[in-house]
């Protein structure tokens, strides 16, 4: 324990930078999250459990996590494919597509929400097509799935892209020289190298989807037990001034978010040890 | 003897041409449906009844006050975020201390908290029904359902943006240049302004761009803390929701179009930075 808390440094500004950092972190992030934990503690586990343990809340939590998982899974496969063609293939408009991948990060969620709804509602371009084929997209879980895919689209691509750029072609050549088919090389050599980054992207996409609100509420239809997501239920509880109810659902989501964060960190540590990058 | 039959071999490090074409077509097709179609829809719906109708709807008082409020929120939240980002990056990269990894995790925390939960946290801290919030309301400084709450919510959701861009760049640049300047007798501020800042300015701009786009477009957290009071606490995204729910389609999509343009400008500037100043950005933004 001989290590000092902070090493002496000739560079000035320690007081100012540490002061600003810790004050703002406390005021903006830690104090509000602490208030949620405190509110939960003062309500007590019985009250929290009573608020969460209703069919409507379980329905919303289950719906949120189930659809977020599917959307993240779709983004995992699609994101790797997109990253692959952006790095390895040459086609017209590649640079433009590369820049456009970040659109879901830049486009406000409410804008995405009303645009997706206009497009996939029964009177929209794609919605009408689906109607002719006999199914509905907007106001069903399928609509929520599409909105969640939209908001999580860039994560896997952006985590996997730099790893593909770093792959040494000689490894692939060696695999081919040893008689592996291209498909074999991709499955047994390339995909394992991409796995840690892809998993990180998957977890980020999942975390984002679980908490997503703006792009989902327009397209969801918001029917309790059918298309009502957990974040919306928090808003509804707050509008009813049911602070215990909102706190209970908020805490449930926070715990699950932290678990995801922990998994992301664990995957990164594991991959650093195994492979030495990411 | 030397007559080797001329035959073009496909390099072993790529896939069959047919496979490549098929993959490109499928991926771009999905992108068109999921990414580009919604973007086009925004402008199509806004201009459905003509450009004049769209512009008129932007000039109505409700839309104008929303635009003003959103600009004001960004003008307050983004500089605060930049100050925090610079201070945090300086603190983390210029000194060695225990718990550094934990501090970085805490700074990243807002990324993994749902915006709605962030809003809930702010309501539970500063709401009129809490001891602290009630006291502030009594003093005449309400936070929730007022401007400070919206700024706080925007700060929360954009919190890691600038710091995350600066930390990797400043780690890479090390401390030698600053230490040299100090040895030559420069003051701390002079070192920061003339040595550090020129090195990090593009990364700083990059982070500020992203933070600004997010602050102007934030919906979930602001929806919870703003109270959605027309003409007072309704930001652009909130006003878009209200107009959309009132079936004012052209008005909602016109305002959405303004934000979509902002998103496109952000992407364009971001890409330009990635191309022109690749060596001054964090490694994962270089192309």
């Amino acid at each position: 324990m001989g290590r000092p808390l902070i090493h002496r440094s000739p560079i000035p500004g320690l007081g100012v930078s540490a002061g600003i950092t810790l004050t703002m972190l406390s005021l903006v992030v830690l104090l509000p999250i602490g208030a949620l934990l405190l509110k939960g503690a003062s309500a007590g586990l019985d009250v929290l459990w009573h608020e969460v343990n209703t069919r409507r809340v379980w329905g919303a939590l289950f719906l949120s996590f189930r659809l977020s998982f599917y959307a993240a899974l779709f983004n995992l496969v699609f994101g790797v494919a997109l990253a692959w063609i952006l790095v390895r293939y040459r086609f017209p408009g590649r640079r433009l597509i590369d820049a456009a991948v970040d659109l879901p990060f830049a486009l406000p969620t409410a804008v995405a929400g009303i645009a997706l709804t206009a497009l996939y509602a029964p009177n929209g371009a794609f919605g009408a097509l689906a109607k002719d084929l006999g199914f509905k997209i907007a106001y069903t879980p399928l609509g929520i799935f599409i909105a969640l895919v939209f908001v999580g689209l860039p994560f896997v691509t952006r985590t996997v892209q730099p790893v593909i750029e770093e792959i040494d072609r000689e490894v692939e050549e060696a695999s081919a020289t040893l008689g592996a088919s291209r498909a074999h090389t991709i499955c047994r050599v390339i995909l394992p190298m991409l796995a840690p980054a892809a998993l990180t992207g998957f977890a980020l996409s999942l975390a984002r989807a679980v908490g997503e609100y703006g792009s989902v509420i327009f397209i969801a239809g918001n029917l309790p037990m059918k298309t009502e997501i957990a974040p919306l239920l928090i808003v509804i509880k707050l509008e009813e001034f049911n602070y215990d109810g909102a706190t209970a659902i908020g805490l449930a989501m926070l715990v699950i978010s932290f678990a995801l964060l922990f998994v992301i960190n664990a995957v990164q540590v594991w991959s650093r040890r195994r492979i030495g990058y990411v | 003897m030397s007559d080797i039959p001329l035959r073009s071999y496909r390099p072993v490090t790529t896939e069959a041409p047919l496979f490549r074409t098929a993959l490109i077509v499928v991926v771009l097709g999905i992108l068109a449906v999921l990414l580009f179609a919604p973007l086009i829809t925004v402008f199509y719906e806004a201009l459905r009844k003509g450009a004049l109708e769209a512009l008129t709807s932007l000039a109505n008082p409700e839309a104008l006050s929303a635009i003003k409020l959103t600009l004001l929120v960004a003008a307050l939240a983004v500089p605060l975020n930049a100050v925090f980002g610079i201070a945090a990056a300086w603190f983390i990269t210029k000194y060695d201390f225990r718990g550094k990894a934990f501090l970085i995790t805490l700074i990243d925390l807002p990324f993994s908290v749902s915006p709605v939960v962030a809003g809930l946290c702010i309501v539970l801290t500063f709401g009129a029904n809490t001891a602290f919030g009630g006291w502030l309301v009594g003093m005449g400084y309400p936070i929730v359902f007022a401007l400070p709450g919206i700024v706080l919510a925007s700060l929360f959701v954009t919190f890691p943006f600038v710091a995350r861009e600066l930390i990797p760049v400043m780690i890479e640049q090390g401390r030698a240049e600053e230490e040299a300047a100090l040895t030559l007798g420069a003051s701390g501020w002079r070192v920061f302004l003339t040595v550090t800042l020129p090195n990090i300015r593009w990364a700083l701009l990059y982070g500020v761009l992203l933070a600004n786009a997010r602050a102007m477009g934030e919906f979930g957290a602001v929806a919870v803390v703003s109270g959605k009071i027309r003409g007072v606490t309704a930001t652009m995204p909130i006003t878009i929701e209200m107009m959309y729910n009132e079936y004012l389609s052209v008005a909602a999509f016109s305002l959405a179009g303004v934000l979509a343009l902002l998103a496109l400008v952000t992407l364009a500037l971001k890409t330009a930075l990635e191309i022109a100043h690749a060596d001054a950005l964090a490694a994962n933004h270089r192309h």
Side-chain angles (χ1 to χ4, degrees):
Chain A
M1 291 305 286
R3 212 150 72 90
L5 181 65
I6 184 154
H7 288 271
R8 288 206 304 174
S9 165
I11 298 175
L14 174 65
V16 177
S17 64
I20 293 175
T21 305
L22 299 179
T23 308
M24 282 188 76
L25 182 68
S26 307
L27 208 63
V28 176
V29 178
L30 301 183
L31 185 66
I33 290 179
L36 179 70
L37 299 178
L38 200 68
K39 177 78 184 167
S42 71
L45 273 180
D46 287 349
V47 174
L48 294 181
W49 179 248
H50 179 74
E51 290 289 347
V52 171
N53 196 19
T54 65
R55 286 188 58 208
R56 192 177 174 187
V57 174
W58 281 127
L61 283 170
F62 184 63
L63 181 81
S64 276
F65 281 95
R66 186 168 51 105
L67 291 175
S68 300
F69 182 77
Y70 293 156
L73 212 55
F74 178 91
N75 280 330
L76 176 67
V77 177
F78 179 73
V80 171
L82 177 57
W84 186 258
I85 72 163
L86 284 176
V87 176
R88 287 296 181 91
Y89 299 171
R90 291 294 170 268
F91 52 92
R94 187 181 61 90
R95 295 302 285 265
L96 191 72
I97 302 282
D98 196 357
V101 169
D102 282 336
L103 184 69
F105 286 164
L107 196 69
T109 54
V111 176
I114 63 170
L116 287 168
T117 310
L119 207 52
Y120 289 95
N123 58 351
F126 296 152
L129 205 67
K131 199 178 165 192
D132 291 341
L133 296 172
F135 67 100
K136 267 177 77 177
I137 299 176
Y139 320 125
T140 71
L142 185 60
I144 303 177
F145 169 79
I146 287 179
L148 295 180
V149 166
F150 178 87
V151 295
L153 203 63
F155 287 104
V156 174
T157 304
R158 288 306 184 224
T159 50
V160 168
Q161 220 173 346
V163 182
I164 298 179
E165 278 164 6
E166 295 288 310
I167 291 179
D168 201 340
R169 295 270 179 128
E170 283 171 16
V171 178
E172 293 166 52
E173 283 165 8
S175 169
T177 321
L178 293 171
S181 68
R182 185 64 187 156
H184 203 87
T185 304
I186 289 175
C187 292
R188 300 295 295 274
V189 178
I190 295 173
L191 289 183
M193 286 200 267
L194 304 184
L199 278 177
T200 305
F202 172 82
L204 288 171
S205 172
L206 182 64
R208 172 73 204 258
V210 168
E212 181 53 30
Y213 176 70
S215 58
V216 176
I217 53 159
F218 297 100
I219 203 169
N222 306 328
L223 284 172
M225 306 298 300
K226 289 203 176 71
T227 55
E228 189 176 60
I229 54 165
L232 174 68
L233 211 47
I234 295 180
V235 174
I236 292 173
K237 299 276 179 197
L238 274 176
E239 280 167 0
E240 293 165 350
F241 300 105
N242 180 358
Y243 290 100
D244 286 340
T247 302
I249 305 168
L251 275 175
M253 290 183 60
L254 205 63
V255 167
I256 297 160
S257 299
F258 287 173
L260 283 173
L261 195 73
F262 181 76
V263 171
I264 295 173
N265 279 333
V267 166
Q268 280 169 340
V269 169
W270 169 77
S271 69
R272 234 179 254 137
R273 257 186 228 143
R274 281 275 309 262
I275 303 170
Y277 56 82
V278 178
Chain B
M1 276 300 282
S2 66
D3 262 13
I4 298 166
L6 280 169
R7 209 187 128 185
S8 69
Y9 284 98
R10 181 165 59 81
V12 292
T13 55
T14 188
E15 293 77 50
L18 194 67
F19 178 85
R20 270 185 289 171
T21 313
L23 191 63
I24 290 174
V25 168
V26 169
V27 168
L28 294 191
I30 291 174
L31 272 187
V33 170
L34 283 178
L35 206 62
F36 295 109
L39 184 65
I40 295 164
T41 302
V42 173
F43 297 109
Y44 174 78
E45 293 285 338
L47 298 172
R48 207 171 195 164
K49 291 176 182 158
L52 190 69
E53 180 84 17
L55 288 175
T56 316
S57 75
L58 285 180
N60 100 37
E62 207 175 313
L64 282 179
S65 95
I67 293 172
K68 267 187 224 156
L69 179 63
T70 291
L71 290 175
L72 179 63
V73 169
L76 291 169
V78 175
L80 280 172
N81 189 307
V83 168
F84 167 77
I86 293 169
W90 185 274
F91 180 44
I92 286 168
T93 60
K94 299 299 176 202
Y95 307 103
D96 297 308
F97 54 90
R98 266 193 277 170
K100 196 183 271 191
F102 183 61
L103 179 64
I104 294 175
T105 305
L106 287 181
I107 291 172
D108 275 345
L109 206 56
F111 272 165
S112 42
V113 175
S114 166
V116 171
V117 175
L120 169 68
C121 289
I122 292 171
V123 168
L124 291 176
T125 318
F126 300 106
N129 58 326
T130 66
F132 185 50
W135 178 75
L136 282 170
V137 169
M139 302 289 289
Y141 299 107
I143 288 185
V144 170
F145 302 159
L147 180 66
I150 302 174
V151 174
L152 210 57
S154 306
L155 258 179
F156 187 102
V157 295
T158 59
F159 205 63
F161 277 91
V162 175
R164 274 179 83 102
E165 295 304 325
L166 295 185
I167 290 170
V169 171
M170 285 170 69
I171 286 177
E172 204 170 311
Q173 268 155 2
R175 303 169 190 172
E177 288 182 38
E178 279 85 1
E179 281 162 0
L182 287 167
T183 320
L184 294 170
S187 70
W189 279 111
R190 184 135 181 239
V191 171
F192 172 71
L193 290 174
T194 57
V195 177
T196 311
L197 197 58
N199 280 336
I200 63 167
R201 59 187 165 169
W202 300 116
L204 178 63
L205 184 60
Y206 195 95
V208 163
L209 263 176
L210 297 185
N212 180 60
R214 182 71 198 262
M216 286 192 169
E218 179 49 33
F219 181 70
V222 173
V224 172
V225 301
S226 71
K228 300 181 183 176
I229 309 162
R230 265 168 217 280
V232 184
T233 62
T235 60
M236 285 171 79
I238 301 295
T239 307
I240 290 170
E241 184 205 15
M242 296 197 295
M243 288 171 163
Y244 185 83
N245 288 342
E246 287 155 15
Y247 302 102
L248 299 168
S249 179
V250 169
F253 277 101
S254 300
L255 210 51
V258 175
L259 283 179
L261 281 178
L262 171 80
L264 290 177
V265 169
T266 304
L267 281 187
L269 289 175
K270 176 177 159 302
T271 309
L273 275 178
E274 283 165 8
I275 293 169
H277 300 286
D279 53 338
L281 296 180
N284 55 333
H285 302 312
R286 288 169 194 167
H287 284 283

